[in-house]
Amino acid sequence: MTAENGTHDGTEWWKSSVVYQVYPRSFADSDGDGIGDLDGITRRLDHIAGLGVDVLWLSPVYPSPQADNGYDISDYQDIDPVFGDLDAFDRLLAAAHRRGMKLIMDLVVNHTSDAHPWFQESRDPDSPKRDWYWWRPPREGREDGAGRHEDGTAKGGGDTAAHEDGTAKGGGGEPNNWGSFFSGPAWTYDGASGAYYLHLFAPGQPDLNWENPEVRQAVYAMMRWWLDRGVDGFRMDVVNLISKDPALPDGEPSAEGLFGDGSPHYVCGPRIHTYLQEMHREVMGRYPGRLLSVGEMPGVTVEQARLFTDPERAELDMVFQFEHVGLDHGHGKFDPRPLLLTDLKASLGRWQEGLADVGWNSLYWNNHDQPRVVSRFGDDSPPHRTRSATMLATVLHLHRGTPYVYQGEELGMANAPFATIEDFRDIESLHHYARALEAGARPEDVLPGLRAMGRDNARTPMQWDASPHAGFTTGTPWLPVNPDHVEFNAEAQYADPRSVYHHYCRLIALRRREPAVVHGDFTMLLPDDERIYAFTRRHGGTALLVLGNFTGGTVAVEPADLAPWYQEWEGAELVLGNGPSAPSGPGRLVLAPWEARVHRLVR
């Protein structure tokens, strides 16, 4: 590749990197107000650097009303006072760079906050910014399903927005039948405007209209402002939703009949590649060889990801896909079902094969939107927690792609024991609970799904030590710490060479010294086995065999199931494990509960 292709200039440094995600509100509080902040992150950087990671990904720290914990941004070029200020940001950036780590920001440009000046200006029908958002008049002949306040007014619209029966003045209802990701309709009526605005997420998160070139240029100018400040790239929130079918047609009605599925009209919409290629030309391509761009893309397929990450197309370096973290969903995410290991292998294996020759994978179990993996796919009970956490890490990191570590994952942090709905803070969980009860569900039937899958599980404060608030704050934390921090905390794990933290250090060190981890091909083994995850990575004369037992019992695999590959590996060097190992014999493979092994052969 040539330098004019920007991040795709042939260096591709991010392929050998490991990324650590910080959720600032919950990482470390420096001033005792119970909310994490930038100076708190700076003070704890040695914890992250000690793992050996290369990139720090910072979830949003911009000014925000916090309708969705910072993913509703009211000013793209400043810091919310709850997190500090631009000077505090510059201190963090400089401290990360001194430690050899890059820093990437969360870029949230599918939508803004409804408090953003752009949106406030757009509420005036005569404003030049009216077309910066998706404003539409009420649709005649359609009843409004938006939901109302108890006084009958439209939510978000004030006391002149609706007639007593809840419909928009002038008659009609929402412009189409799309539903929001956070329950309810994707439209809110605004009384000051006499129109509805589109929000695929919360009503406080109106969608930007990327069809307007002024919107795109304003976004690109903002991105360049951060990059010129020294930022090293962006994780782009739901970036494959920025292109909508301008006609905004109705979606296929759901089985429940309340809202239609609008996703065919905005997931990887008609101009998404045009927009991302333009973004690369206008922004990322002006900083050759320096930046990382990763797009969060709900609903993306392998075939689409090949296009987004093909270096010749100059769009993105990698994408976040959600296929593997939807495998334990029943009727939606809050209806969890047991994971079938064969489903997981089929999914991850398909992505490994699909991006083998073009593009690149991002590898993750956890992030700020997912429950804790040790509780989800492992076993967070005391006898098995460390082993299952380290097994899951080993299997993930040895795939082909760039691994992402979410804060606390390196300690084996687990889901929290939320007792009642009052314990939850997340807008997605609260909206789902309210809608479910409105539909006649009982609280005791709804709460188990929230406990298992709710996003608050990822947002409990970081567990630094065994003190009352886990060393996170000297004040009252915005979300209570998990009571298990007394046992599972960073201070205790630093002192224990067998801890989850030290296993992550060894795992990342293996990536550093063994080229097969980054560059090797991938071959899935035992695809039909529901207990053992097994694969090989081969590069040059070196091969790695990765084994993980996804059960709480000892697993002995029959010789016939191992032929012919296992005979090749008998006696191979064990380069990483979470031992002790179960004894195996000639032609016989035995793995202890939640055991992981990485063997190496050199020819």
PDB file of all heavy atoms in Angstrom, residues 208-227:
ATOM      1  N   LEU A 208     -28.784  12.331  13.340  1.00  0.00           N
ATOM      2  CA  LEU A 208     -28.301  13.289  12.350  1.00  0.00           C
ATOM      3  C   LEU A 208     -28.665  12.823  10.943  1.00  0.00           C
ATOM      4  O   LEU A 208     -28.687  11.610  10.657  1.00  0.00           O
ATOM      5  CB  LEU A 208     -26.784  13.446  12.454  1.00  0.00           C
ATOM      6  CG  LEU A 208     -26.269  14.263  13.640  1.00  0.00           C
ATOM      7  CD1 LEU A 208     -24.774  14.029  13.837  1.00  0.00           C
ATOM      8  CD2 LEU A 208     -26.541  15.755  13.426  1.00  0.00           C
ATOM      9  N   ASN A 209     -28.898  13.779  10.068  1.00  0.00           N
ATOM     10  CA  ASN A 209     -29.208  13.490   8.671  1.00  0.00           C
ATOM     11  C   ASN A 209     -27.938  13.572   7.836  1.00  0.00           C
ATOM     12  O   ASN A 209     -27.531  14.645   7.392  1.00  0.00           O
ATOM     13  CB  ASN A 209     -30.254  14.474   8.158  1.00  0.00           C
ATOM     14  CG  ASN A 209     -30.576  14.249   6.684  1.00  0.00           C
ATOM     15  OD1 ASN A 209     -30.196  13.230   6.099  1.00  0.00           O
ATOM     16  ND2 ASN A 209     -31.265  15.195   6.081  1.00  0.00           N
ATOM     17  N   TRP A 210     -27.305  12.428   7.625  1.00  0.00           N
ATOM     18  CA  TRP A 210     -26.055  12.381   6.877  1.00  0.00           C
ATOM     19  C   TRP A 210     -26.258  12.650   5.384  1.00  0.00           C
ATOM     20  O   TRP A 210     -25.267  12.818   4.659  1.00  0.00           O
ATOM     21  CB  TRP A 210     -25.358  11.042   7.102  1.00  0.00           C
ATOM     22  CG  TRP A 210     -24.528  11.044   8.350  1.00  0.00           C
ATOM     23  CD1 TRP A 210     -24.971  11.117   9.639  1.00  0.00           C
ATOM     24  CD2 TRP A 210     -23.107  10.998   8.412  1.00  0.00           C
ATOM     25  NE1 TRP A 210     -23.912  11.127  10.507  1.00  0.00           N
ATOM     26  CE2 TRP A 210     -22.754  11.036   9.784  1.00  0.00           C
ATOM     27  CE3 TRP A 210     -22.094  10.919   7.461  1.00  0.00           C
ATOM     28  CZ2 TRP A 210     -21.423  11.012  10.217  1.00  0.00           C
ATOM     29  CZ3 TRP A 210     -20.772  10.879   7.890  1.00  0.00           C
ATOM     30  CH2 TRP A 210     -20.451  10.927   9.254  1.00  0.00           C
ATOM     31  N   GLU A 211     -27.484  12.705   4.931  1.00  0.00           N
ATOM     32  CA  GLU A 211     -27.725  13.095   3.539  1.00  0.00           C
ATOM     33  C   GLU A 211     -27.307  14.542   3.309  1.00  0.00           C
ATOM     34  O   GLU A 211     -27.009  14.938   2.171  1.00  0.00           O
ATOM     35  CB  GLU A 211     -29.205  12.923   3.196  1.00  0.00           C
ATOM     36  CG  GLU A 211     -29.681  11.490   3.098  1.00  0.00           C
ATOM     37  CD  GLU A 211     -29.148  10.807   1.851  1.00  0.00           C
ATOM     38  OE1 GLU A 211     -29.258  11.385   0.748  1.00  0.00           O
ATOM     39  OE2 GLU A 211     -28.608   9.695   1.976  1.00  0.00           O
ATOM     40  N   ASN A 212     -27.286  15.348   4.360  1.00  0.00           N
ATOM     41  CA  ASN A 212     -26.923  16.753   4.252  1.00  0.00           C
ATOM     42  C   ASN A 212     -25.402  16.887   4.291  1.00  0.00           C
ATOM     43  O   ASN A 212     -24.765  16.550   5.289  1.00  0.00           O
ATOM     44  CB  ASN A 212     -27.548  17.532   5.417  1.00  0.00           C
ATOM     45  CG  ASN A 212     -27.366  19.029   5.299  1.00  0.00           C
ATOM     46  OD1 ASN A 212     -26.374  19.509   4.763  1.00  0.00           O
ATOM     47  ND2 ASN A 212     -28.324  19.778   5.830  1.00  0.00           N
ATOM     48  N   PRO A 213     -24.771  17.386   3.231  1.00  0.00           N
ATOM     49  CA  PRO A 213     -23.304  17.475   3.211  1.00  0.00           C
ATOM     50  C   PRO A 213     -22.753  18.404   4.293  1.00  0.00           C
ATOM     51  O   PRO A 213     -21.602  18.229   4.719  1.00  0.00           O
ATOM     52  CB  PRO A 213     -22.983  18.000   1.806  1.00  0.00           C
ATOM     53  CG  PRO A 213     -24.251  18.600   1.302  1.00  0.00           C
ATOM     54  CD  PRO A 213     -25.369  17.846   1.949  1.00  0.00           C
ATOM     55  N   GLU A 214     -23.539  19.374   4.756  1.00  0.00           N
ATOM     56  CA  GLU A 214     -23.067  20.243   5.822  1.00  0.00           C
ATOM     57  C   GLU A 214     -22.866  19.464   7.119  1.00  0.00           C
ATOM     58  O   GLU A 214     -21.939  19.748   7.887  1.00  0.00           O
ATOM     59  CB  GLU A 214     -24.052  21.388   6.049  1.00  0.00           C
ATOM     60  CG  GLU A 214     -24.142  22.368   4.896  1.00  0.00           C
ATOM     61  CD  GLU A 214     -25.137  23.484   5.175  1.00  0.00           C
ATOM     62  OE1 GLU A 214     -25.802  23.438   6.236  1.00  0.00           O
ATOM     63  OE2 GLU A 214     -25.246  24.396   4.336  1.00  0.00           O
ATOM     64  N   VAL A 215     -23.731  18.504   7.374  1.00  0.00           N
ATOM     65  CA  VAL A 215     -23.580  17.646   8.548  1.00  0.00           C
ATOM     66  C   VAL A 215     -22.264  16.884   8.461  1.00  0.00           C
ATOM     67  O   VAL A 215     -21.476  16.847   9.420  1.00  0.00           O
ATOM     68  CB  VAL A 215     -24.766  16.664   8.664  1.00  0.00           C
ATOM     69  CG1 VAL A 215     -24.494  15.603   9.735  1.00  0.00           C
ATOM     70  CG2 VAL A 215     -26.053  17.414   8.985  1.00  0.00           C
ATOM     71  N   ARG A 216     -22.010  16.286   7.327  1.00  0.00           N
ATOM     72  CA  ARG A 216     -20.797  15.489   7.181  1.00  0.00           C
ATOM     73  C   ARG A 216     -19.550  16.349   7.353  1.00  0.00           C
ATOM     74  O   ARG A 216     -18.601  15.954   8.038  1.00  0.00           O
ATOM     75  CB  ARG A 216     -20.794  14.786   5.816  1.00  0.00           C
ATOM     76  CG  ARG A 216     -22.031  13.904   5.597  1.00  0.00           C
ATOM     77  CD  ARG A 216     -21.827  12.882   4.493  1.00  0.00           C
ATOM     78  NE  ARG A 216     -21.509  13.458   3.202  1.00  0.00           N
ATOM     79  CZ  ARG A 216     -22.401  13.872   2.304  1.00  0.00           C
ATOM     80  NH1 ARG A 216     -23.702  13.799   2.585  1.00  0.00           N
ATOM     81  NH2 ARG A 216     -22.021  14.345   1.128  1.00  0.00           N
ATOM     82  N   GLN A 217     -19.541  17.520   6.778  1.00  0.00           N
ATOM     83  CA  GLN A 217     -18.356  18.379   6.893  1.00  0.00           C
ATOM     84  C   GLN A 217     -18.153  18.854   8.323  1.00  0.00           C
ATOM     85  O   GLN A 217     -17.011  18.989   8.782  1.00  0.00           O
ATOM     86  CB  GLN A 217     -18.469  19.557   5.930  1.00  0.00           C
ATOM     87  CG  GLN A 217     -18.334  19.170   4.460  1.00  0.00           C
ATOM     88  CD  GLN A 217     -17.037  18.434   4.158  1.00  0.00           C
ATOM     89  OE1 GLN A 217     -15.965  18.803   4.667  1.00  0.00           O
ATOM     90  NE2 GLN A 217     -17.110  17.379   3.347  1.00  0.00           N
ATOM     91  N   ALA A 218     -19.234  19.096   9.042  1.00  0.00           N
ATOM     92  CA  ALA A 218     -19.103  19.487  10.451  1.00  0.00           C
ATOM     93  C   ALA A 218     -18.515  18.338  11.267  1.00  0.00           C
ATOM     94  O   ALA A 218     -17.669  18.552  12.155  1.00  0.00           O
ATOM     95  CB  ALA A 218     -20.464  19.892  11.012  1.00  0.00           C
ATOM     96  N   VAL A 219     -18.940  17.112  10.983  1.00  0.00           N
ATOM     97  CA  VAL A 219     -18.384  15.944  11.677  1.00  0.00           C
ATOM     98  C   VAL A 219     -16.907  15.786  11.344  1.00  0.00           C
ATOM     99  O   VAL A 219     -16.075  15.560  12.236  1.00  0.00           O
ATOM    100  CB  VAL A 219     -19.179  14.674  11.311  1.00  0.00           C
ATOM    101  CG1 VAL A 219     -18.445  13.419  11.788  1.00  0.00           C
ATOM    102  CG2 VAL A 219     -20.585  14.728  11.910  1.00  0.00           C
ATOM    103  N   TYR A 220     -16.545  15.901  10.095  1.00  0.00           N
ATOM    104  CA  TYR A 220     -15.144  15.713   9.709  1.00  0.00           C
ATOM    105  C   TYR A 220     -14.255  16.773  10.338  1.00  0.00           C
ATOM    106  O   TYR A 220     -13.127  16.479  10.765  1.00  0.00           O
ATOM    107  CB  TYR A 220     -15.005  15.755   8.187  1.00  0.00           C
ATOM    108  CG  TYR A 220     -15.845  14.748   7.431  1.00  0.00           C
ATOM    109  CD1 TYR A 220     -16.248  14.986   6.117  1.00  0.00           C
ATOM    110  CD2 TYR A 220     -16.256  13.558   8.037  1.00  0.00           C
ATOM    111  CE1 TYR A 220     -17.019  14.062   5.420  1.00  0.00           C
ATOM    112  CE2 TYR A 220     -17.039  12.644   7.344  1.00  0.00           C
ATOM    113  CZ  TYR A 220     -17.421  12.904   6.043  1.00  0.00           C
ATOM    114  OH  TYR A 220     -18.194  11.999   5.364  1.00  0.00           O
ATOM    115  N   ALA A 221     -14.739  18.014  10.401  1.00  0.00           N
ATOM    116  CA  ALA A 221     -13.944  19.075  11.030  1.00  0.00           C
ATOM    117  C   ALA A 221     -13.722  18.767  12.506  1.00  0.00           C
ATOM    118  O   ALA A 221     -12.622  18.985  13.040  1.00  0.00           O
ATOM    119  CB  ALA A 221     -14.648  20.421  10.857  1.00  0.00           C
ATOM    120  N   MET A 222     -14.740  18.259  13.167  1.00  0.00           N
ATOM    121  CA  MET A 222     -14.610  17.886  14.578  1.00  0.00           C
ATOM    122  C   MET A 222     -13.595  16.753  14.750  1.00  0.00           C
ATOM    123  O   MET A 222     -12.750  16.783  15.651  1.00  0.00           O
ATOM    124  CB  MET A 222     -15.970  17.472  15.125  1.00  0.00           C
ATOM    125  CG  MET A 222     -15.970  16.903  16.528  1.00  0.00           C
ATOM    126  SD  MET A 222     -15.797  15.087  16.587  1.00  0.00           S
ATOM    127  CE  MET A 222     -17.364  14.561  15.869  1.00  0.00           C
ATOM    128  N   MET A 223     -13.632  15.755  13.891  1.00  0.00           N
ATOM    129  CA  MET A 223     -12.685  14.650  13.975  1.00  0.00           C
ATOM    130  C   MET A 223     -11.248  15.146  13.814  1.00  0.00           C
ATOM    131  O   MET A 223     -10.347  14.755  14.561  1.00  0.00           O
ATOM    132  CB  MET A 223     -13.015  13.594  12.914  1.00  0.00           C
ATOM    133  CG  MET A 223     -14.353  12.891  13.130  1.00  0.00           C
ATOM    134  SD  MET A 223     -14.816  11.822  11.727  1.00  0.00           S
ATOM    135  CE  MET A 223     -13.594  10.512  11.875  1.00  0.00           C
ATOM    136  N   ARG A 224     -11.033  16.019  12.827  1.00  0.00           N
ATOM    137  CA  ARG A 224      -9.678  16.549  12.615  1.00  0.00           C
ATOM    138  C   ARG A 224      -9.211  17.357  13.829  1.00  0.00           C
ATOM    139  O   ARG A 224      -8.016  17.336  14.170  1.00  0.00           O
ATOM    140  CB  ARG A 224      -9.646  17.398  11.345  1.00  0.00           C
ATOM    141  CG  ARG A 224      -9.800  16.596  10.052  1.00  0.00           C
ATOM    142  CD  ARG A 224      -9.499  17.437   8.823  1.00  0.00           C
ATOM    143  NE  ARG A 224     -10.466  18.505   8.627  1.00  0.00           N
ATOM    144  CZ  ARG A 224     -11.553  18.414   7.861  1.00  0.00           C
ATOM    145  NH1 ARG A 224     -11.822  17.277   7.215  1.00  0.00           N
ATOM    146  NH2 ARG A 224     -12.359  19.438   7.726  1.00  0.00           N
ATOM    147  N   TRP A 225     -10.119  18.046  14.491  1.00  0.00           N
ATOM    148  CA  TRP A 225      -9.773  18.825  15.687  1.00  0.00           C
ATOM    149  C   TRP A 225      -9.201  17.919  16.770  1.00  0.00           C
ATOM    150  O   TRP A 225      -8.190  18.242  17.400  1.00  0.00           O
ATOM    151  CB  TRP A 225     -11.027  19.551  16.181  1.00  0.00           C
ATOM    152  CG  TRP A 225     -10.821  20.480  17.333  1.00  0.00           C
ATOM    153  CD1 TRP A 225     -10.432  21.788  17.272  1.00  0.00           C
ATOM    154  CD2 TRP A 225     -11.013  20.177  18.721  1.00  0.00           C
ATOM    155  NE1 TRP A 225     -10.373  22.323  18.538  1.00  0.00           N
ATOM    156  CE2 TRP A 225     -10.719  21.353  19.452  1.00  0.00           C
ATOM    157  CE3 TRP A 225     -11.398  19.042  19.427  1.00  0.00           C
ATOM    158  CZ2 TRP A 225     -10.812  21.428  20.838  1.00  0.00           C
ATOM    159  CZ3 TRP A 225     -11.492  19.098  20.809  1.00  0.00           C
ATOM    160  CH2 TRP A 225     -11.196  20.280  21.497  1.00  0.00           C
ATOM    161  N   TRP A 226      -9.817  16.757  16.984  1.00  0.00           N
ATOM    162  CA  TRP A 226      -9.302  15.815  17.992  1.00  0.00           C
ATOM    163  C   TRP A 226      -7.989  15.185  17.546  1.00  0.00           C
ATOM    164  O   TRP A 226      -7.064  15.003  18.348  1.00  0.00           O
ATOM    165  CB  TRP A 226     -10.338  14.739  18.288  1.00  0.00           C
ATOM    166  CG  TRP A 226     -11.436  15.198  19.186  1.00  0.00           C
ATOM    167  CD1 TRP A 226     -12.737  15.456  18.852  1.00  0.00           C
ATOM    168  CD2 TRP A 226     -11.338  15.474  20.588  1.00  0.00           C
ATOM    169  NE1 TRP A 226     -13.449  15.867  19.947  1.00  0.00           N
ATOM    170  CE2 TRP A 226     -12.622  15.891  21.030  1.00  0.00           C
ATOM    171  CE3 TRP A 226     -10.299  15.412  21.516  1.00  0.00           C
ATOM    172  CZ2 TRP A 226     -12.880  16.238  22.367  1.00  0.00           C
ATOM    173  CZ3 TRP A 226     -10.561  15.752  22.844  1.00  0.00           C
ATOM    174  CH2 TRP A 226     -11.831  16.152  23.257  1.00  0.00           C
ATOM    175  N   LEU A 227      -7.899  14.834  16.282  1.00  0.00           N
ATOM    176  CA  LEU A 227      -6.667  14.211  15.799  1.00  0.00           C
ATOM    177  C   LEU A 227      -5.499  15.185  15.858  1.00  0.00           C
ATOM    178  O   LEU A 227      -4.374  14.801  16.197  1.00  0.00           O
ATOM    179  CB  LEU A 227      -6.864  13.690  14.378  1.00  0.00           C
ATOM    180  CG  LEU A 227      -7.873  12.543  14.238  1.00  0.00           C
ATOM    181  CD1 LEU A 227      -8.109  12.210  12.777  1.00  0.00           C
ATOM    182  CD2 LEU A 227      -7.428  11.309  15.010  1.00  0.00           C
TER     183      LEU A 227
END
